């Protein structure tokens, strides 16, 4: 595996490659990330991964400096997966001058759910993803469904800018008890790790209610939030949305079996967990 930090060297290395699959990451890789590499290989060759902790998507009170960085262990994992190139730019490599041009998602998609609680987050995500796509020039790129809103925003951005990159969605990789794998799970105490699967259990309960014909989604959301709060979680949202545009469904949408997704974000101790479940 070649480890490359400069954009110029990456472009020289990838010149002439027409079937590149790309998996962007922020490192601290776990089995969920590695499953993305395997899916990428099914859709193209060679596979390029990136590791870059993107300052633009962190708010002023978020964990940029504390975000776990495990570069050598990540390299070993990627080598075992047969990744062809690891693009690991420094901030100076990727942002040699202040990144004053930004890509901002539309408000109805970028300022709801995660965007409401993390202002500017998706602008940071779309800006770095567009820049990474420009550097790697992949035919396909793989993103996990755990970050459901991010997946939709990147997919819409790619479509609206007519990028020659197909966005592939990967199913959420879960531990045996249902907890979605995340780099931030490392922040959980042993007791919190035992409690953490309750978030996914709650999503399943909401989904079951919807499938059974419950039309009052506000009541379902309120009860689910209250359940978590009673267990000493601090929920930001549990929200039932249309998969197509992440807008709240009408009673008619539910009655007509419109494809839905229930999304959640909640703090357990100091750790903020997100998850979702398609209905």
């Amino acid at each position: 595996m070649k480890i490359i930090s400069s954009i110029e060297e990456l472009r020289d290395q990838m010149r002439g490659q027409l079937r590149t699959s790309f998996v962007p990451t922020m490192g601290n890789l776990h089995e969920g990330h590695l499953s993305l590499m395997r899916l990428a290989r099914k859709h193209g060759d060679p596979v390029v991964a990136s590791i870059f902790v993107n300052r633009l998507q962190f708010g002023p009170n978020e964990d940029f400096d504390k975000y776990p960085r495990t570069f050598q262990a990540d390299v070993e994992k990627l080598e075992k997966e047969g990744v062809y190139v690891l693009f690991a730019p420094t901030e100076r490599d990727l942002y040699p001058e202040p990144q004053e041009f930004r890509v901002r998602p539309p408000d109805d998609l970028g300022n709801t759910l995660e965007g409401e609680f993390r202002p500017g987050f998706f602008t940071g995500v779309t800006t770095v993803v567009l820049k990474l796509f420009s550097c790697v020039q992949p035919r396909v790129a793989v993103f996990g469904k755990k970050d459901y809103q991010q997946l939709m925003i990147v997919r819409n951005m790619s479509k609206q800018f007519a990028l020659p990159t197909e966005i592939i969605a990967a199913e959420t990789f879960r531990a045996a008890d249902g907890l979605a794998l995340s780099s931030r799970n490392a922040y959980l105490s042993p007791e919190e790790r035992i409690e953490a699967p309750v978030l996914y259990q709650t999503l399943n309960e909401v989904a079951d209610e919807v499938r059974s014909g419950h039309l009052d989604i506000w009541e379902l959301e309120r009860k689910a939030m209250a359940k978590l709060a009673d267990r000493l979680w601090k929920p930001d949202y549990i929200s039932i949305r249309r998969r197509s545009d992440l807008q709240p469904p009408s009673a008619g949408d539910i009655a007509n079996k419109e494809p839905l997704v229930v999304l959640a974000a909640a703090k357990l101790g100091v750790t903020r967990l997100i998850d979702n479940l398609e209905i």
Side-chain angles (χ1 to χ4, degrees), residues 54-59 95 99 102 120-121 123-125 127-128:
N54 178 40
R55 188 185 297 270
L56 296 186
Q57 68 194 65
F58 285 79
Y95 302 130
Q99 187 68 39
R102 305 287 179 97
F121 170 69
T123 295
V125 168
T127 299
V128 76

Side-chain angles (χ1 to χ4, degrees), residues 143-200:
F143 289 80
K145 284 187 179 181
K146 185 180 81 69
D147 298 291
Y148 202 91
Q149 189 175 4
Q150 172 181 279
L151 167 66
M152 175 168 287
I153 287 172
V154 169
R155 179 172 276 162
N156 286 2
M157 178 188 74
S158 187
K159 179 181 178 182
Q160 289 195 15
F161 280 113
L163 302 180
T165 302
E166 179 186 359
I167 307 303
I168 304 294
E171 296 297 329
T172 301
F173 199 97
R174 300 184 181 278
D177 58 8
L179 177 64
L181 295 198
S182 168
S183 297
R184 288 188 170 92
N185 291 353
Y187 299 155
L188 296 168
S189 70
E191 295 77 17
E192 290 166 348
R193 176 61 187 82
I194 294 171
E195 171 69 13
V198 169
L199 185 61
Y200 184 53

Side-chain angles (χ1 to χ4, degrees), residues 122-274:
F122 287 118
T123 295
V125 168
T126 49
T127 299
V128 76
V129 168
L130 184 61
K131 195 158 192 178
L132 288 169
F133 282 2
S134 174
C135 296
V136 178
Q137 300 189 13
R139 189 184 69 82
V140 300
V142 178
F143 289 80
K145 284 187 179 181
K146 185 180 81 69
D147 298 291
Y148 202 91
Q149 189 175 4
Q150 172 181 279
L151 167 66
M152 175 168 287
I153 287 172
V154 169
R155 179 172 276 162
N156 286 2
M157 178 188 74
S158 187
K159 179 181 178 182
Q160 289 195 15
F161 280 113
L163 302 180
T165 302
E166 179 186 359
I167 307 303
I168 304 294
E171 296 297 329
T172 301
F173 199 97
R174 300 184 181 278
D177 58 8
L179 177 64
L181 295 198
S182 168
S183 297
R184 288 188 170 92
N185 291 353
Y187 299 155
L188 296 168
S189 70
E191 295 77 17
E192 290 166 348
R193 176 61 187 82
I194 294 171
E195 171 69 13
V198 169
L199 185 61
Y200 184 53
Q201 294 168 15
T202 303
L203 292 180
N204 275 280
E205 291 167 4
V206 172
D208 287 344
E209 290 278 2
V210 173
R211 293 187 189 108
S212 69
H214 196 125
L215 298 181
D216 189 344
I217 62 170
W218 184 87
E219 175 66 10
L220 292 177
E221 294 168 351
R222 187 196 65 77
K223 286 174 58 179
M225 296 265 284
K227 172 189 172 179
L228 290 182
D230 287 345
R231 299 180 69 99
L232 303 182
W233 292 68
K234 296 176 182 176
D236 284 341
Y237 60 83
I238 295 180
S239 189
I240 300 164
R241 300 295 178 103
R242 296 191 298 244
R243 291 188 215 172
S244 60
D245 56 9
L246 291 189
Q247 295 306 301
S250 65
D253 290 330
I254 297 173
N256 293 326
K257 307 299 183 183
E258 169 79 18
L260 305 174
V261 58
V262 54
L263 308 102
K267 272 191 175 181
L268 182 56
V270 299
T271 307
R272 188 173 184 273
L273 302 177
I274 67 170

Side-chain angles (χ1 to χ4, degrees), residues 22 28 33 38 72 77 102 113 120 123 148 176 186 213 258 275:
F22 178 45
N28 192 31
H33 293 109
R38 295 166 198 145
Q72 192 52 49
K77 291 173 182 175
R102 305 287 179 97
L113 301 169
T123 295
Y148 202 91
E258 169 79 18
D275 204 348

